Amino acid sequence: MTVCTGNICRSPMAEIVLRDRFEAAGLGGRVVVDSTGISSEEHGNPVDRRARRVLAEHGYDTGEGHHARQVRPSDVVSRDLVLPMTSQHARALRRLHGDGNVRMYRSFDPAAPVVAPERVERDEHLLDIDDPWYGGMQDFEDCLAQVEAAADGIVEHVRQELARRQA
């Protein structure tokens, strides 16, 4: 599950990209990907029109039928992997269910900064994906690029986890 603030920009973009990558990796039938937001302010709203435009321009599904929803404690408990877009989202998710399955989305990007476990409190923000909602189309392009940069690492992590569980 990918998580951002309102569930109309970053997290649905990441959800769509991950679904595409899992499908391409032959794991589409074995992995469920969804998204939520920390806030309820966008509840029921579709994917932001600018996010849909950038997704379409890059050949992705545009998230038609998506309705923003707020994360619930049961969501965090029931997901094997919860992928927040910012350290603020990560802190909110950990308050719901501890550290166990919460891991920063960008931590899977091989080019992203490495945050040592003992420095998470101080440095985790270095892995934030900025909210494009307040900016222009370039901000949405940049967001998608960051989402794509981590997607293959997430797919590989999940592939290894599935193999470990089958062993």
Side-chain angles (χ1 to χ4, degrees):
M1 179 174 64
T2 60
V3 183
C4 68
T5 303
N7 192 217
I8 61 168
C9 297
R10 290 169 287 184
S11 61
M13 290 172 76
E15 173 187 355
I16 289 164
V17 169
L18 285 175
R19 272 202 198 123
D20 184 76
R21 299 287 173 90
F22 281 119
E23 195 63 42
L27 298 171
R30 297 184 63 199
V31 178
V32 175
V33 182
D34 63 352
S35 64
T36 60
I38 295 298
S39 169
S40 64
E41 66 188 282
E42 298 290 348
H43 183 77
N45 287 337
V47 176
D48 181 278
R49 64 178 169 69
R50 297 163 295 177
R52 287 194 317 264
R53 180 174 153 196
V54 167
L55 287 164
E57 288 173 356
H58 289 267
Y60 292 105
D61 175 48
T62 59
E64 295 301 318
H66 172 84
H67 299 286
R69 69 179 188 87
Q70 185 176 21
V71 66
R72 299 177 304 257
S74 61
D75 293 325
V76 181
V77 171
S78 66
R79 299 316 188 274
D80 294 314
L81 185 60
V82 180
L83 300 162
M85 298 293 129
T86 70
S87 59
Q88 180 182 359
H89 302 139
R91 283 191 300 277
L93 292 164
R94 289 176 183 131
R95 283 192 300 270
L96 291 175
H97 182 59
D99 282 340
N101 56 353
V102 177
R103 185 158 168 201
M104 292 288 288
Y105 187 95
R106 273 195 71 219
S107 69
F108 291 94
D109 176 353
V114 175
V115 176
E118 67 274 6
R119 300 186 79 134
V120 167
E121 285 285 324
R122 193 183 90 185
D123 293 342
E124 193 170 50
H125 72 280
L126 298 172
L127 297 171
D128 287 358
I129 296 178
D130 291 333
D131 192 348
W133 193 85
Y134 298 101
M137 289 307 297
Q138 187 58 51
D139 296 287
F140 283 86
E141 291 283 348
D142 294 345
C143 178
L144 180 61
Q146 288 183 314
V147 164
E148 289 178 320
D152 289 337
I154 294 168
V155 170
E156 185 55 32
H157 171 80
V158 170
R159 181 191 312 278
Q160 290 175 12
E161 184 62 24
L162 290 170
R164 185 187 67 75
R165 290 180 184 186
Q166 286 181 334

